Amino acid sequence: MGKVFVEITAKHDVHGNIRPLTIKWEEGRIFEVDRLLDVRQAASIKGGGMGIRYTCRICNKQVYLFNDEGKWFVERK
Amino acid sequence: MSRTILHVDLNNYYASVECLYRPEIRDKPVIVCGDAEARHGIVLAKNYPAKMLGVKTGEAIWKAKQKCQGLVLVRADFKKYIKFSRMARAIYANYSDQIEPFGIDEAWVDVSGSTKIFGTGPEIADAIRQRLRDELGLTGSVGVSYNKIFAKLGSDMKKPDDTTIIMQENFREKVWPLPVGELLYVGRATRRKLQNRAIYTIGNLANRDVSDLKMMLGMWGETLWNFANGLDYAPVKQIGEESFIKSIGNSTTTPRDLINNQDVKLIIYVLAESVAARLRKHGLKCKTVSISVRGNDLLSFERQGKLSNPTFLADDIALKAIELFQTNYRWDKPIRSLGIRGADLVTADGHIQIDLFDNSKVNAETLAVTVDNLHKRFGHYSVQRCSMLLDQNLTGFNPKEDHVIHPVSYFK
């Protein structure tokens, strides 16, 4: 339970869409976002909070990445 | 044609938002409260575990603490609540352009025009509830009916996260057995009057003779009778339509109970200054002043009176408020909170009759505008009334900028 705020790199296109490319985990490891499966506004029940939810595939695992007004976080398992 | 109206009521609104952000407290009794040190320490909202233990909205924090151990206190964060309220309305806006907010956590939505696109009223209600859950992490109760009054009653019947349907065919079975106090606009005083005449349920009210009710309650009798019979035709307002200002008011719960006229005068001046400054800011003048007074037993009353001329001057408003107060209060108990409101608004640049010999009023208006400018440039406390220095603990607050959530009226 809980959430981990992460540093990300992202691509902002001319339409204002944001596509996260990599995530920097707590201890400094950098993960690449292999695929973006879904983007929608959603509540984070596990992490606590709400924002634009990016459903990402990272290392063959599905991860919810949230953008809460510019602060990005991942739900802790 | 029969309308389809939804009334959405977000369950335990403040507490639900706080619990969403803090998963670790979700299963504990939680209350959201004001600032205890400024004596605003009452329970504003609670979650279901706290409700089960008997905590009531509006009671003092110490009382709530006695009722349950391990109570989690959260300070209210109105910015967050307003943000969620706005997002909830954005969801309703997907289904209709007729959305009328009723306070921060409730709204009517008229979906008559979109039932062909999105399905029947109950289907839209369920879709909205689902989206509230998924996108905002909140739950809502929805009442579906053919008028606003029954839709609101419906949203109170099943909580949390449920849809209640009241239609023309079944409102007699569903609405009439409810106690009459559940009906919108039947408050403490009206309920007592009705009960004295053996009207206990909404059904009793609906089956009474209208002229009887008119004798008893005046024009309100007929309005309430119509409500009880489902004859409410008030439209749900379009988005943006409700922004027209009908009155401007401020109120405060004071740092200590007020015990004499002097205390009351001080607070009245603080509030009147703020109301007057806000009137000036909007380019309005008021023709009626009303005061609300709440004693330390938390019972309140309201009185209003007309001014001889429209005004946006703090002095005129304060004098009227003091007059209203002194004719209506007997000091049988100390006062916990006070409010002043300017109503019957007219635009400030309208023509007025100027006194031929005495132009002090015009001078006073110029002075007020100058003081506004000083406040803007040098801060709220740069220029103030001398009387504000008599008791700075009591008057050291700024109702204009310290945040306030405005109550709303059904008859806008």
Side-chain angles (χ1 to χ4, degrees):
Chain A
M1 293 286 262
K3 53 186 171 183
V4 185
F5 285 97
V6 291
E7 207 175 281
I8 65 149
T9 60
K11 187 178 130 196
H12 295 245
D13 71 12
V14 287
H15 304 294
N17 298 322
I18 305 172
R19 191 185 182 87
L21 301 173
T22 64
I23 295 176
K24 189 172 173 189
W25 194 243
E26 286 170 301
E27 77 274 41
R29 276 192 297 165
I30 291 176
F31 294 96
E32 219 162 285
V33 177
D34 299 327
R35 264 188 85 180
L36 199 55
L37 303 168
D38 180 47
V39 181
R40 64 173 65 222
Q41 182 182 306
S44 163
I45 302 299
K46 271 194 216 156
M50 196 265 322
I52 307 295
R53 186 183 70 191
Y54 295 78
T55 311
C56 306
R57 177 164 301 154
I58 299 173
C59 300
N60 260 329
K61 275 191 188 136
Q62 190 170 310
V63 177
Y64 285 149
L65 174 64
F66 286 86
N67 174 6
D68 182 6
E69 296 184 337
K71 286 172 86 181
W72 294 74
F73 67 87
V74 178
E75 288 179 343
R76 193 192 287 279
K77 284 275 151 67
Chain B
M1 198 195 94
S2 162
R3 298 180 292 166
T4 308
I5 294 173
L6 314 184
H7 183 264
V8 191
D9 183 351
L10 300 173
N11 305 127
N12 304 339
Y13 182 55
Y14 296 172
S16 299
V17 174
E18 294 300 341
C19 287
L20 173 68
Y21 275 88
R22 293 173 60 185
E24 70 277 9
I25 62 172
R26 260 174 226 162
D27 304 322
K28 296 176 186 154
V30 176
I31 58 167
V32 177
C33 46
D35 183 358
E37 263 152 47
R39 281 214 333 157
H40 299 196
I42 57 160
V43 179
L44 297 172
K46 67 232 174 268
N47 66 353
Y48 280 101
K51 195 181 263 180
M52 301 257 270
L53 292 163
V55 176
K56 296 221 165 60
T57 301
E59 77 186 352
I61 292 175
W62 60 265
K63 227 172 171 180
K65 273 185 181 160
Q66 280 179 345
K67 285 183 187 169
C68 49
Q69 289 187 328
L71 187 70
V72 182
L73 276 71
V74 185
R75 274 289 292 277
D77 176 2
F78 290 106
K79 260 198 200 128
K80 219 188 303 175
Y81 310 147
I82 287 168
K83 176 180 147 196
F84 271 80
S85 170
R86 213 180 47 234
M87 288 191 295
R89 279 171 209 168
I91 293 179
Y92 313 150
N94 282 299
Y95 300 92
S96 172
D97 60 345
Q98 275 174 280
I99 299 165
E100 186 179 336
F102 193 61
I104 194 167
D105 61 340
E106 298 180 23
W108 280 285
V109 188
D110 186 335
V111 295
S112 315
S114 44
T115 47
K116 292 241 165 61
I117 311 171
F118 298 110
T120 61
E123 279 166 9
I124 296 177
D126 291 342
I128 287 178
R129 284 195 297 118
Q130 177 77 41
R131 289 189 59 185
L132 287 173
R133 254 196 327 267
D134 292 346
E135 294 176 24
L136 304 181
L138 301 175
T139 60
S141 301
V142 186
V144 184
S145 188
Y146 59 97
N147 67 52
K148 284 163 76 180
I149 300 295
F150 285 176
K152 168 134 178 66
L153 272 174
S155 70
D156 285 331
M157 282 163 84
K158 276 188 258 168
K159 287 182 173 182
D161 201 7
D162 214 330
T163 305
T164 308
I165 304 151
I166 298 173
M167 293 325 285
Q168 254 141 332
E169 302 84 63
N170 67 2
F171 80 87
R172 288 181 185 80
E173 296 87 69
K174 285 208 167 173
V175 173
W176 283 8
L178 297 173
V180 72
E182 297 274 306
L183 199 64
L184 199 59
Y185 281 93
V186 179
R188 188 162 29 93
T190 312
R191 199 184 63 220
R192 202 179 315 127
K193 275 188 206 163
L194 292 172
Q195 284 177 346
N196 284 342
R197 288 164 178 79
I199 298 173
Y200 300 104
T201 65
I202 296 179
N204 292 156
L205 180 68
N207 291 318
R208 269 298 171 104
D209 192 34
V210 196
S211 49
D212 269 10
L213 294 169
K214 258 188 182 164
M215 292 268 278
M216 192 190 333
L217 305 166
M219 60 177 266
W220 273 106
E222 194 175 351
T223 312
L224 291 177
W225 184 85
N226 282 335
F227 284 0
N229 281 295
L231 302 172
D232 168 49
Y233 300 107
V236 178
K237 297 208 168 53
Q238 297 261 334
I239 300 168
E241 201 183 330
E242 78 286 351
S243 56
F244 189 69
I245 304 173
K246 295 289 257 191
S247 72
I248 288 180
N250 276 118
S251 65
T252 187
T253 299
T254 49
R256 61 170 171 79
D257 282 350
L258 308 178
I259 45 165
N260 55 36
N261 284 338
Q262 159 99 359
D263 290 348
V264 169
K265 266 186 202 169
L266 290 182
I267 295 294
I268 282 181
Y269 270 108
V270 178
L271 295 171
E273 285 282 359
S274 155
V275 170
R278 286 172 59 206
L279 283 169
R280 289 193 290 270
K281 192 176 140 211
H282 291 286
L284 298 167
K285 286 183 177 180
C286 68
K287 290 198 289 185
T288 300
V289 172
S290 83
I291 58 164
S292 62
V293 180
R294 187 192 288 258
N296 65 353
D297 52 0
L298 301 182
L299 296 179
S300 60
F301 69 89
E302 213 171 301
R303 293 290 177 270
Q304 61 177 23
K306 274 209 175 312
L307 293 158
S308 50
N309 281 308
T311 185
F312 54 42
L313 295 177
D315 274 323
D316 295 346
I317 296 173
L319 286 177
K320 189 74 199 174
I322 290 167
E323 180 198 318
L324 283 169
F325 177 79
Q326 289 182 339
T327 46
N328 287 296
Y329 205 69
R330 301 270 163 267
W331 285 113
D332 43 350
K333 65 212 167 214
I335 289 171
R336 179 65 52 93
S337 105
L338 267 181
I340 295 186
R341 203 154 49 83
D344 257 341
L345 304 181
V346 293
T347 46
D349 51 8
H351 301 292
I352 49 155
Q353 178 67 53
I354 298 178
D355 200 309
L356 196 53
F357 304 106
D358 176 18
N359 65 349
S360 61
K361 183 125 187 182
V362 180
N363 289 342
E365 290 188 356
T366 321
L367 180 64
V369 173
T370 310
V371 171
D372 280 347
N373 279 329
L374 288 173
H375 281 167
K376 204 157 76 193
R377 290 179 61 185
F378 303 109
H380 178 74
Y381 298 102
S382 56
V383 184
Q384 35 178 348
R385 279 170 194 278
C386 209
S387 57
M388 296 298 107
L389 301 174
L390 282 174
D391 189 339
Q392 281 175 308
N393 284 332
L394 206 55
T395 55
F397 69 103
N398 175 5
K400 189 161 164 245
E401 265 128 59
D402 300 346
H403 177 73
V404 182
I405 289 195
H406 305 284
V408 286
S409 161
Y410 184 72
F411 294 97
K412 277 193 270 206

